[in-house]
Amino acid sequence: MTGALTLLYGMPITRIVALTRSDLTGGSPPHLRIGEHPVALPPAVHQLLQRQADPTEPISAVGRITPRPSWLIPGYAAGTHHSAPALARKMRLHGLPARPSRNTALLALAADLPASVLSDTLGISISAALQWTRRAARDWNSYLAVLSGDVGDTRAGFLNG
């Protein structure tokens, strides 16, 4: 679940561990509130999150039923969420290093979305969104130069080199 949210939406682990059950909404399509706005979830990711949100009733060591935690990923101590470093360690064990996974997702999203939409949707600052869109900017200048020049040999050289 953590890997899916990191790879799809570029969410930092510190934000993933702070998600609550109220951040997940049903409906068609289901949504997850990441920043200010709810973001549509793919069905498979929604199923993962829903399974995480609906655990069995927790029972304490002395046999009393304890209230369900509001955190989507509850911690070991009552009333706390899971630790970000521990979750990052689990991701690495599964071959998903957190920072490169998040950077890849943000780069892919920045290639498709304007900075303002990226900022609003993911809850990142506008300056961070602008930096990601600059990094993701595709340089079409060499391609346009090839098209305006000799189409025959130059295009073949561009595609091969």
Side-chain angles (χ1 to χ4, degrees), residues 38-111:
V39 176
L41 291 170
V45 175
H46 179 253
Q47 288 175 354
L48 286 172
L49 290 172
Q50 196 60 47
R51 255 189 291 170
Q52 183 68 32
D54 294 332
T56 59
E57 279 295 322
I59 298 178
S60 71
V62 292
R64 288 181 287 193
I65 294 178
T66 57
R68 290 172 32 157
S70 63
W71 302 109
L72 198 56
I73 308 174
Y76 297 111
T80 64
H81 58 69
H82 204 69
S83 125
L87 205 52
R89 194 170 31 260
K90 286 181 183 179
M91 281 184 65
R92 274 193 310 277
L93 290 173
H94 290 285
L96 291 169
R99 184 167 304 252
S101 299
R102 180 172 187 258
N103 290 350
T104 301
L106 287 172
L107 198 59
L109 289 168

Short mmCIF file of all heavy atoms in Angstrom, two decimals, residues 38-111:
data_model
loop_
_atom_site.label_atom_id
_atom_site.label_comp_id
_atom_site.label_asym_id
_atom_site.label_seq_id
_atom_site.Cartn_x
_atom_site.Cartn_y
_atom_site.Cartn_z
N PRO A 38 -9.54 15.85 -2.81
CA PRO A 38 -9.51 14.39 -2.91
C PRO A 38 -9.01 13.97 -4.29
O PRO A 38 -9.28 14.62 -5.29
CB PRO A 38 -10.97 13.98 -2.71
CG PRO A 38 -11.78 15.21 -2.91
CD PRO A 38 -10.89 16.39 -2.72
N VAL A 39 -8.24 12.89 -4.32
CA VAL A 39 -7.66 12.37 -5.55
C VAL A 39 -8.29 11.00 -5.82
O VAL A 39 -8.39 10.17 -4.92
CB VAL A 39 -6.13 12.24 -5.41
CG1 VAL A 39 -5.52 11.62 -6.64
CG2 VAL A 39 -5.51 13.60 -5.13
N ALA A 40 -8.72 10.78 -7.06
CA ALA A 40 -9.34 9.50 -7.43
C ALA A 40 -8.32 8.37 -7.31
O ALA A 40 -7.15 8.54 -7.63
CB ALA A 40 -9.87 9.57 -8.85
N LEU A 41 -8.79 7.23 -6.82
CA LEU A 41 -7.93 6.06 -6.63
C LEU A 41 -8.26 4.98 -7.66
O LEU A 41 -9.43 4.73 -7.93
CB LEU A 41 -8.15 5.47 -5.24
CG LEU A 41 -7.67 6.27 -4.05
CD1 LEU A 41 -8.18 5.64 -2.76
CD2 LEU A 41 -6.16 6.33 -4.05
N PRO A 42 -7.25 4.31 -8.17
CA PRO A 42 -7.52 3.13 -9.00
C PRO A 42 -8.17 2.05 -8.12
O PRO A 42 -7.90 1.99 -6.90
CB PRO A 42 -6.13 2.68 -9.46
CG PRO A 42 -5.23 3.84 -9.23
CD PRO A 42 -5.84 4.64 -8.12
N PRO A 43 -9.00 1.20 -8.69
CA PRO A 43 -9.70 0.18 -7.89
C PRO A 43 -8.78 -0.71 -7.05
O PRO A 43 -9.07 -0.99 -5.89
CB PRO A 43 -10.47 -0.64 -8.92
CG PRO A 43 -10.64 0.28 -10.08
CD PRO A 43 -9.44 1.18 -10.08
N ALA A 44 -7.66 -1.13 -7.61
CA ALA A 44 -6.75 -2.02 -6.86
C ALA A 44 -6.16 -1.31 -5.64
O ALA A 44 -6.05 -1.91 -4.57
CB ALA A 44 -5.64 -2.52 -7.78
N VAL A 45 -5.80 -0.05 -5.79
CA VAL A 45 -5.24 0.71 -4.67
C VAL A 45 -6.33 0.96 -3.63
O VAL A 45 -6.08 0.87 -2.43
CB VAL A 45 -4.61 2.03 -5.15
CG1 VAL A 45 -4.13 2.87 -3.99
CG2 VAL A 45 -3.46 1.75 -6.10
N HIS A 46 -7.55 1.24 -4.08
CA HIS A 46 -8.64 1.44 -3.14
C HIS A 46 -8.88 0.17 -2.32
O HIS A 46 -9.11 0.24 -1.11
CB HIS A 46 -9.92 1.84 -3.87
CG HIS A 46 -11.08 2.03 -2.95
ND1 HIS A 46 -12.12 1.13 -2.88
CD2 HIS A 46 -11.33 2.97 -2.02
CE1 HIS A 46 -12.97 1.53 -1.96
NE2 HIS A 46 -12.52 2.65 -1.43
N GLN A 47 -8.81 -0.99 -2.96
CA GLN A 47 -8.99 -2.25 -2.22
C GLN A 47 -7.91 -2.42 -1.16
O GLN A 47 -8.20 -2.84 -0.04
CB GLN A 47 -8.99 -3.43 -3.18
CG GLN A 47 -10.24 -3.53 -4.01
CD GLN A 47 -10.17 -4.65 -5.03
OE1 GLN A 47 -9.13 -5.29 -5.20
NE2 GLN A 47 -11.27 -4.87 -5.74
N LEU A 48 -6.66 -2.10 -1.50
CA LEU A 48 -5.57 -2.19 -0.52
C LEU A 48 -5.83 -1.26 0.67
O LEU A 48 -5.69 -1.66 1.83
CB LEU A 48 -4.24 -1.81 -1.17
CG LEU A 48 -3.59 -2.80 -2.10
CD1 LEU A 48 -2.39 -2.16 -2.79
CD2 LEU A 48 -3.17 -4.04 -1.34
N LEU A 49 -6.21 -0.03 0.37
CA LEU A 49 -6.45 0.94 1.43
C LEU A 49 -7.67 0.56 2.26
O LEU A 49 -7.68 0.73 3.48
CB LEU A 49 -6.64 2.34 0.83
CG LEU A 49 -5.39 2.98 0.25
CD1 LEU A 49 -5.74 4.26 -0.49
CD2 LEU A 49 -4.37 3.26 1.32
N GLN A 50 -8.69 0.03 1.61
CA GLN A 50 -9.90 -0.36 2.32
C GLN A 50 -9.61 -1.52 3.27
O GLN A 50 -10.09 -1.54 4.40
CB GLN A 50 -11.01 -0.76 1.33
CG GLN A 50 -12.37 -0.81 1.95
CD GLN A 50 -12.80 0.54 2.52
OE1 GLN A 50 -12.68 1.58 1.89
NE2 GLN A 50 -13.27 0.52 3.74
N ARG A 51 -8.81 -2.49 2.81
CA ARG A 51 -8.41 -3.60 3.69
C ARG A 51 -7.63 -3.09 4.90
O ARG A 51 -7.78 -3.58 6.00
CB ARG A 51 -7.56 -4.61 2.92
CG ARG A 51 -8.34 -5.86 2.59
CD ARG A 51 -7.43 -6.91 2.05
NE ARG A 51 -6.98 -6.48 0.73
CZ ARG A 51 -6.04 -7.06 0.04
NH1 ARG A 51 -5.41 -8.08 0.54
NH2 ARG A 51 -5.70 -6.63 -1.14
N GLN A 52 -6.78 -2.10 4.67
CA GLN A 52 -6.00 -1.53 5.75
C GLN A 52 -6.90 -0.75 6.71
O GLN A 52 -6.69 -0.74 7.92
CB GLN A 52 -4.92 -0.60 5.20
CG GLN A 52 -4.01 -0.02 6.23
CD GLN A 52 -3.12 -1.05 6.90
OE1 GLN A 52 -2.72 -2.02 6.28
NE2 GLN A 52 -2.81 -0.82 8.15
N ALA A 53 -7.93 -0.10 6.19
CA ALA A 53 -8.82 0.72 7.01
C ALA A 53 -9.81 -0.11 7.82
O ALA A 53 -10.33 0.37 8.81
CB ALA A 53 -9.58 1.70 6.13
N ASP A 54 -10.09 -1.34 7.41
CA ASP A 54 -11.08 -2.18 8.08
C ASP A 54 -10.44 -3.39 8.76
O ASP A 54 -10.73 -4.53 8.39
CB ASP A 54 -12.12 -2.66 7.08
CG ASP A 54 -12.95 -1.54 6.52
OD1 ASP A 54 -13.12 -0.52 7.22
OD2 ASP A 54 -13.43 -1.66 5.38
N PRO A 55 -9.58 -3.17 9.76
CA PRO A 55 -8.99 -4.33 10.43
C PRO A 55 -9.99 -4.96 11.39
O PRO A 55 -11.05 -4.40 11.67
CB PRO A 55 -7.81 -3.73 11.20
CG PRO A 55 -8.29 -2.35 11.52
CD PRO A 55 -9.13 -1.93 10.34
N THR A 56 -9.64 -6.11 11.88
CA THR A 56 -10.47 -6.74 12.89
C THR A 56 -10.41 -5.91 14.16
O THR A 56 -9.51 -5.10 14.34
CB THR A 56 -9.97 -8.17 13.18
OG1 THR A 56 -8.62 -8.09 13.61
CG2 THR A 56 -10.07 -9.03 11.94
N GLU A 57 -11.36 -6.13 15.05
CA GLU A 57 -11.38 -5.38 16.31
C GLU A 57 -10.12 -5.68 17.10
O GLU A 57 -9.82 -6.84 17.38
CB GLU A 57 -12.60 -5.77 17.14
CG GLU A 57 -13.88 -5.09 16.71
CD GLU A 57 -13.84 -3.58 16.91
OE1 GLU A 57 -13.29 -3.11 17.92
OE2 GLU A 57 -14.37 -2.89 16.03
N PRO A 58 -9.36 -4.67 17.47
CA PRO A 58 -8.16 -4.92 18.28
C PRO A 58 -8.53 -5.31 19.71
O PRO A 58 -9.49 -4.79 20.26
CB PRO A 58 -7.41 -3.60 18.23
CG PRO A 58 -8.43 -2.59 17.88
CD PRO A 58 -9.52 -3.28 17.12
N ILE A 59 -7.82 -6.24 20.24
CA ILE A 59 -8.02 -6.68 21.61
C ILE A 59 -6.71 -6.48 22.34
O ILE A 59 -5.64 -6.83 21.85
CB ILE A 59 -8.47 -8.14 21.66
CG1 ILE A 59 -9.80 -8.30 20.94
CG2 ILE A 59 -8.57 -8.62 23.11
CD1 ILE A 59 -10.32 -9.71 20.89
N SER A 60 -6.80 -5.91 23.53
CA SER A 60 -5.58 -5.65 24.29
C SER A 60 -5.04 -6.94 24.88
O SER A 60 -5.68 -7.99 24.85
CB SER A 60 -5.88 -4.64 25.40
OG SER A 60 -6.66 -5.24 26.40
N ALA A 61 -3.87 -6.86 25.47
CA ALA A 61 -3.22 -8.03 26.05
C ALA A 61 -4.01 -8.61 27.21
O ALA A 61 -3.91 -9.79 27.51
CB ALA A 61 -1.82 -7.67 26.50
N VAL A 62 -4.84 -7.79 27.85
CA VAL A 62 -5.62 -8.29 28.98
C VAL A 62 -7.03 -8.69 28.57
O VAL A 62 -7.87 -9.00 29.39
CB VAL A 62 -5.68 -7.26 30.14
CG1 VAL A 62 -4.32 -7.10 30.77
CG2 VAL A 62 -6.23 -5.95 29.66
N GLY A 63 -7.30 -8.70 27.26
CA GLY A 63 -8.57 -9.21 26.76
C GLY A 63 -9.67 -8.19 26.59
O GLY A 63 -10.78 -8.55 26.22
N ARG A 64 -9.40 -6.92 26.84
CA ARG A 64 -10.42 -5.90 26.66
C ARG A 64 -10.42 -5.42 25.22
O ARG A 64 -9.37 -5.33 24.59
CB ARG A 64 -10.18 -4.72 27.57
CG ARG A 64 -10.47 -5.02 29.02
CD ARG A 64 -10.22 -3.79 29.83
NE ARG A 64 -8.76 -3.64 29.88
CZ ARG A 64 -8.13 -2.84 30.69
NH1 ARG A 64 -8.80 -2.06 31.49
NH2 ARG A 64 -6.82 -2.77 30.70
N ILE A 65 -11.57 -5.10 24.71
CA ILE A 65 -11.66 -4.54 23.36
C ILE A 65 -11.27 -3.07 23.45
O ILE A 65 -11.79 -2.32 24.28
CB ILE A 65 -13.07 -4.69 22.79
CG1 ILE A 65 -13.39 -6.17 22.59
CG2 ILE A 65 -13.20 -3.92 21.49
CD1 ILE A 65 -14.77 -6.44 22.07
N THR A 66 -10.33 -2.69 22.62
CA THR A 66 -9.87 -1.30 22.61
C THR A 66 -10.48 -0.58 21.42
O THR A 66 -10.83 -1.21 20.42
CB THR A 66 -8.33 -1.25 22.51
OG1 THR A 66 -7.93 -1.95 21.34
CG2 THR A 66 -7.68 -1.88 23.72
N PRO A 67 -10.64 0.71 21.50
CA PRO A 67 -11.21 1.44 20.37
C PRO A 67 -10.29 1.35 19.15
O PRO A 67 -9.07 1.29 19.28
CB PRO A 67 -11.33 2.88 20.86
CG PRO A 67 -10.46 2.96 22.05
CD PRO A 67 -10.30 1.58 22.60
N ARG A 68 -10.92 1.33 17.98
CA ARG A 68 -10.12 1.28 16.75
C ARG A 68 -9.38 2.59 16.56
O ARG A 68 -9.93 3.65 16.75
CB ARG A 68 -11.04 1.04 15.55
CG ARG A 68 -11.60 -0.35 15.57
CD ARG A 68 -12.66 -0.57 14.53
NE ARG A 68 -12.47 0.21 13.33
CZ ARG A 68 -12.98 -0.12 12.17
NH1 ARG A 68 -13.70 -1.21 12.05
NH2 ARG A 68 -12.80 0.63 11.12
N PRO A 69 -8.12 2.49 16.19
CA PRO A 69 -7.35 3.73 15.98
C PRO A 69 -7.84 4.45 14.72
O PRO A 69 -8.35 3.84 13.79
CB PRO A 69 -5.91 3.24 15.79
CG PRO A 69 -6.06 1.83 15.36
CD PRO A 69 -7.33 1.31 15.95
N SER A 70 -7.69 5.76 14.71
CA SER A 70 -8.12 6.53 13.54
C SER A 70 -7.07 6.51 12.44
O SER A 70 -7.36 6.85 11.30
CB SER A 70 -8.44 7.96 13.94
OG SER A 70 -7.27 8.59 14.41
N TRP A 71 -5.84 6.13 12.76
CA TRP A 71 -4.76 6.11 11.77
C TRP A 71 -4.99 4.98 10.78
O TRP A 71 -5.42 3.90 11.13
CB TRP A 71 -3.40 5.92 12.43
CG TRP A 71 -3.09 6.96 13.45
CD1 TRP A 71 -3.05 6.80 14.80
CD2 TRP A 71 -2.78 8.32 13.20
NE1 TRP A 71 -2.75 7.98 15.41
CE2 TRP A 71 -2.58 8.95 14.44
CE3 TRP A 71 -2.67 9.09 12.04
CZ2 TRP A 71 -2.25 10.28 14.57
CZ3 TRP A 71 -2.35 10.43 12.16
CH2 TRP A 71 -2.15 11.01 13.41
N LEU A 72 -4.66 5.23 9.53
CA LEU A 72 -4.76 4.19 8.51
C LEU A 72 -3.69 3.13 8.73
O LEU A 72 -3.92 1.94 8.50
CB LEU A 72 -4.63 4.82 7.12
CG LEU A 72 -5.11 4.01 5.94
CD1 LEU A 72 -6.56 3.60 6.11
CD2 LEU A 72 -4.96 4.80 4.66
N ILE A 73 -2.53 3.55 9.20
CA ILE A 73 -1.44 2.61 9.53
C ILE A 73 -1.11 2.84 11.01
O ILE A 73 -0.21 3.61 11.34
CB ILE A 73 -0.20 2.85 8.64
CG1 ILE A 73 -0.59 2.84 7.17
CG2 ILE A 73 0.85 1.77 8.92
CD1 ILE A 73 0.54 3.22 6.24
N PRO A 74 -1.85 2.18 11.90
CA PRO A 74 -1.62 2.42 13.33
C PRO A 74 -0.26 1.92 13.78
O PRO A 74 0.29 0.97 13.23
CB PRO A 74 -2.75 1.64 14.01
CG PRO A 74 -3.24 0.67 13.00
CD PRO A 74 -2.90 1.22 11.65
N GLY A 75 0.26 2.57 14.80
CA GLY A 75 1.54 2.18 15.36
C GLY A 75 1.36 1.11 16.42
O GLY A 75 0.25 0.63 16.68
N TYR A 76 2.47 0.74 17.04
CA TYR A 76 2.42 -0.29 18.07
C TYR A 76 1.91 0.26 19.38
O TYR A 76 1.25 -0.45 20.14
CB TYR A 76 3.81 -0.91 18.23
CG TYR A 76 4.26 -1.61 16.97
CD1 TYR A 76 5.30 -1.11 16.22
CD2 TYR A 76 3.61 -2.75 16.52
CE1 TYR A 76 5.70 -1.74 15.05
CE2 TYR A 76 3.99 -3.38 15.35
CZ TYR A 76 5.04 -2.87 14.63
OH TYR A 76 5.42 -3.49 13.47
N ALA A 77 2.21 1.50 19.68
CA ALA A 77 1.71 2.12 20.90
C ALA A 77 0.32 2.68 20.64
O ALA A 77 0.02 3.17 19.55
CB ALA A 77 2.65 3.24 21.34
N ALA A 78 -0.54 2.59 21.63
CA ALA A 78 -1.92 3.05 21.49
C ALA A 78 -1.97 4.52 21.11
O ALA A 78 -1.26 5.35 21.68
CB ALA A 78 -2.67 2.82 22.79
N GLY A 79 -2.79 4.83 20.12
CA GLY A 79 -3.01 6.21 19.72
C GLY A 79 -1.95 6.82 18.82
O GLY A 79 -2.01 7.99 18.52
N THR A 80 -0.97 6.03 18.39
CA THR A 80 0.09 6.56 17.53
C THR A 80 0.00 5.92 16.15
O THR A 80 -0.60 4.87 15.97
CB THR A 80 1.49 6.27 18.10
OG1 THR A 80 1.69 4.86 18.14
CG2 THR A 80 1.64 6.85 19.49
N HIS A 81 0.60 6.59 15.17
CA HIS A 81 0.69 5.99 13.84
C HIS A 81 2.04 5.30 13.69
O HIS A 81 2.93 5.45 14.53
CB HIS A 81 0.45 7.02 12.73
CG HIS A 81 1.39 8.18 12.73
ND1 HIS A 81 2.72 8.07 12.41
CD2 HIS A 81 1.18 9.48 13.01
CE1 HIS A 81 3.29 9.25 12.48
NE2 HIS A 81 2.37 10.13 12.85
N HIS A 82 2.16 4.53 12.63
CA HIS A 82 3.39 3.79 12.36
C HIS A 82 4.54 4.78 12.15
O HIS A 82 4.33 5.90 11.69
CB HIS A 82 3.18 2.94 11.11
CG HIS A 82 4.08 1.76 11.01
ND1 HIS A 82 3.98 0.68 11.86
CD2 HIS A 82 5.10 1.48 10.17
CE1 HIS A 82 4.90 -0.21 11.53
NE2 HIS A 82 5.59 0.26 10.51
N SER A 83 5.73 4.37 12.42
CA SER A 83 6.88 5.24 12.26
C SER A 83 7.32 5.29 10.80
O SER A 83 7.36 4.27 10.11
CB SER A 83 8.00 4.74 13.17
OG SER A 83 9.18 4.50 12.49
N ALA A 84 7.64 6.49 10.31
CA ALA A 84 8.09 6.67 8.93
C ALA A 84 9.39 5.92 8.64
O ALA A 84 9.49 5.26 7.60
CB ALA A 84 8.23 8.15 8.60
N PRO A 85 10.41 5.97 9.51
CA PRO A 85 11.63 5.22 9.22
C PRO A 85 11.39 3.70 9.14
O PRO A 85 11.98 3.02 8.30
CB PRO A 85 12.57 5.56 10.38
CG PRO A 85 12.09 6.88 10.88
CD PRO A 85 10.61 6.86 10.67
N ALA A 86 10.53 3.17 9.99
CA ALA A 86 10.24 1.73 9.95
C ALA A 86 9.52 1.36 8.66
O ALA A 86 9.81 0.33 8.05
CB ALA A 86 9.40 1.33 11.16
N LEU A 87 8.62 2.23 8.21
CA LEU A 87 7.90 1.96 6.96
C LEU A 87 8.85 2.08 5.77
O LEU A 87 8.77 1.28 4.82
CB LEU A 87 6.74 2.94 6.82
CG LEU A 87 5.57 2.51 5.97
CD1 LEU A 87 5.05 1.14 6.37
CD2 LEU A 87 4.46 3.52 6.06
N ALA A 88 9.77 3.02 5.80
CA ALA A 88 10.77 3.15 4.73
C ALA A 88 11.66 1.92 4.68
O ALA A 88 12.01 1.44 3.60
CB ALA A 88 11.61 4.40 4.94
N ARG A 89 12.00 1.39 5.84
CA ARG A 89 12.82 0.18 5.91
C ARG A 89 12.07 -1.01 5.29
O ARG A 89 12.64 -1.79 4.54
CB ARG A 89 13.18 -0.10 7.37
CG ARG A 89 14.26 -1.10 7.58
CD ARG A 89 14.80 -1.18 9.02
NE ARG A 89 13.86 -0.88 10.10
CZ ARG A 89 13.78 0.29 10.75
NH1 ARG A 89 14.60 1.29 10.44
NH2 ARG A 89 12.92 0.48 11.72
N LYS A 90 10.78 -1.12 5.57
CA LYS A 90 9.96 -2.20 4.99
C LYS A 90 9.91 -2.06 3.47
O LYS A 90 9.95 -3.05 2.75
CB LYS A 90 8.56 -2.19 5.58
CG LYS A 90 8.49 -2.71 6.98
CD LYS A 90 7.06 -2.69 7.50
CE LYS A 90 7.00 -3.14 8.94
NZ LYS A 90 5.63 -3.11 9.46
N MET A 91 9.79 -0.82 2.98
CA MET A 91 9.76 -0.61 1.53
C MET A 91 11.08 -1.05 0.90
O MET A 91 11.08 -1.68 -0.16
CB MET A 91 9.48 0.87 1.20
CG MET A 91 8.04 1.24 1.30
SD MET A 91 7.74 2.95 0.81
CE MET A 91 8.18 2.91 -0.92
N ARG A 92 12.21 -0.70 1.54
CA ARG A 92 13.52 -1.11 1.00
C ARG A 92 13.64 -2.63 0.96
O ARG A 92 14.20 -3.18 0.02
CB ARG A 92 14.65 -0.52 1.85
CG ARG A 92 15.05 0.87 1.46
CD ARG A 92 16.37 1.29 2.10
NE ARG A 92 16.44 1.07 3.54
CZ ARG A 92 15.95 1.90 4.46
NH1 ARG A 92 15.35 3.00 4.09
NH2 ARG A 92 16.09 1.63 5.74
N LEU A 93 13.11 -3.30 1.97
CA LEU A 93 13.16 -4.77 1.99
C LEU A 93 12.39 -5.38 0.83
O LEU A 93 12.70 -6.47 0.38
CB LEU A 93 12.61 -5.31 3.32
CG LEU A 93 13.47 -5.07 4.54
CD1 LEU A 93 12.74 -5.50 5.81
CD2 LEU A 93 14.80 -5.81 4.42
N HIS A 94 11.40 -4.65 0.34
CA HIS A 94 10.61 -5.12 -0.81
C HIS A 94 11.13 -4.56 -2.13
O HIS A 94 10.48 -4.69 -3.16
CB HIS A 94 9.14 -4.74 -0.63
CG HIS A 94 8.46 -5.52 0.45
ND1 HIS A 94 8.11 -6.83 0.31
CD2 HIS A 94 8.12 -5.17 1.71
CE1 HIS A 94 7.54 -7.26 1.42
NE2 HIS A 94 7.54 -6.27 2.29
N GLY A 95 12.31 -3.96 -2.10
CA GLY A 95 12.93 -3.45 -3.33
C GLY A 95 12.38 -2.12 -3.79
O GLY A 95 12.50 -1.78 -4.97
N LEU A 96 11.78 -1.35 -2.91
CA LEU A 96 11.23 -0.04 -3.26
C LEU A 96 11.86 1.05 -2.38
O LEU A 96 11.29 1.43 -1.37
CB LEU A 96 9.71 -0.02 -3.05
CG LEU A 96 8.88 -0.85 -4.00
CD1 LEU A 96 7.45 -0.93 -3.50
CD2 LEU A 96 8.93 -0.26 -5.39
N PRO A 97 13.01 1.55 -2.76
CA PRO A 97 13.60 2.64 -1.97
C PRO A 97 12.69 3.87 -2.05
O PRO A 97 12.25 4.26 -3.13
CB PRO A 97 14.96 2.87 -2.61
CG PRO A 97 14.87 2.27 -3.96
CD PRO A 97 13.82 1.20 -3.92
N ALA A 98 12.39 4.46 -0.92
CA ALA A 98 11.37 5.51 -0.83
C ALA A 98 11.70 6.75 -1.67
O ALA A 98 10.88 7.20 -2.46
CB ALA A 98 11.16 5.91 0.63
N ARG A 99 12.89 7.32 -1.50
CA ARG A 99 13.19 8.58 -2.18
C ARG A 99 13.24 8.42 -3.71
O ARG A 99 12.59 9.20 -4.41
CB ARG A 99 14.49 9.18 -1.67
CG ARG A 99 14.76 10.54 -2.32
CD ARG A 99 15.83 11.27 -1.62
NE ARG A 99 15.54 11.42 -0.22
CZ ARG A 99 15.20 12.58 0.35
NH1 ARG A 99 15.14 13.66 -0.36
NH2 ARG A 99 14.96 12.65 1.64
N PRO A 100 13.95 7.43 -4.26
CA PRO A 100 13.93 7.30 -5.72
C PRO A 100 12.53 6.99 -6.26
O PRO A 100 12.16 7.48 -7.33
CB PRO A 100 14.88 6.14 -6.00
CG PRO A 100 15.77 6.06 -4.80
CD PRO A 100 14.94 6.53 -3.66
N SER A 101 11.74 6.23 -5.51
CA SER A 101 10.38 5.93 -5.95
C SER A 101 9.53 7.20 -6.00
O SER A 101 8.80 7.44 -6.96
CB SER A 101 9.73 4.92 -5.00
OG SER A 101 10.44 3.71 -4.99
N ARG A 102 9.66 8.01 -4.96
CA ARG A 102 8.90 9.26 -4.91
C ARG A 102 9.36 10.22 -6.00
O ARG A 102 8.53 10.84 -6.68
CB ARG A 102 9.07 9.91 -3.54
CG ARG A 102 8.31 11.20 -3.42
CD ARG A 102 8.34 11.73 -1.99
NE ARG A 102 7.47 12.89 -1.91
CZ ARG A 102 7.90 14.14 -1.90
NH1 ARG A 102 9.19 14.41 -1.94
NH2 ARG A 102 7.04 15.13 -1.83
N ASN A 103 10.66 10.34 -6.20
CA ASN A 103 11.18 11.24 -7.23
C ASN A 103 10.71 10.82 -8.62
O ASN A 103 10.35 11.67 -9.44
CB ASN A 103 12.70 11.28 -7.18
CG ASN A 103 13.21 12.00 -5.95
OD1 ASN A 103 12.46 12.62 -5.22
ND2 ASN A 103 14.50 11.89 -5.71
N THR A 104 10.70 9.53 -8.89
CA THR A 104 10.23 9.04 -10.19
C THR A 104 8.77 9.39 -10.40
O THR A 104 8.38 9.83 -11.48
CB THR A 104 10.45 7.52 -10.28
OG1 THR A 104 11.83 7.24 -10.12
CG2 THR A 104 9.97 6.97 -11.61
N ALA A 105 7.96 9.19 -9.37
CA ALA A 105 6.53 9.50 -9.48
C ALA A 105 6.31 10.99 -9.71
O ALA A 105 5.51 11.39 -10.56
CB ALA A 105 5.81 9.04 -8.22
N LEU A 106 7.01 11.83 -8.95
CA LEU A 106 6.84 13.28 -9.11
C LEU A 106 7.30 13.75 -10.49
O LEU A 106 6.68 14.63 -11.09
CB LEU A 106 7.60 14.03 -8.01
CG LEU A 106 6.96 13.95 -6.63
CD1 LEU A 106 7.88 14.56 -5.58
CD2 LEU A 106 5.61 14.65 -6.62
N LEU A 107 8.36 13.16 -11.00
CA LEU A 107 8.84 13.52 -12.32
C LEU A 107 7.81 13.15 -13.39
O LEU A 107 7.53 13.93 -14.30
CB LEU A 107 10.18 12.83 -12.59
CG LEU A 107 11.03 13.37 -13.71
CD1 LEU A 107 11.38 14.83 -13.47
CD2 LEU A 107 12.30 12.55 -13.84
N ALA A 108 7.23 11.96 -13.27
CA ALA A 108 6.22 11.53 -14.22
C ALA A 108 4.97 12.40 -14.14
O ALA A 108 4.39 12.79 -15.17
CB ALA A 108 5.86 10.06 -13.98
N LEU A 109 4.54 12.73 -12.95
CA LEU A 109 3.36 13.59 -12.78
C LEU A 109 3.63 15.00 -13.29
O LEU A 109 2.77 15.61 -13.93
CB LEU A 109 2.94 13.63 -11.31
CG LEU A 109 2.33 12.35 -10.76
CD1 LEU A 109 2.22 12.42 -9.24
CD2 LEU A 109 0.96 12.10 -11.39
N ALA A 110 4.83 15.51 -13.04
CA ALA A 110 5.18 16.86 -13.48
C ALA A 110 5.26 16.95 -15.00
O ALA A 110 5.06 18.03 -15.56
CB ALA A 110 6.50 17.29 -12.86
N ALA A 111 5.53 15.85 -15.66
CA ALA A 111 5.57 15.85 -17.12
C ALA A 111 4.18 15.98 -17.71
O ALA A 111 4.01 16.45 -18.83
CB ALA A 111 6.24 14.58 -17.64
#
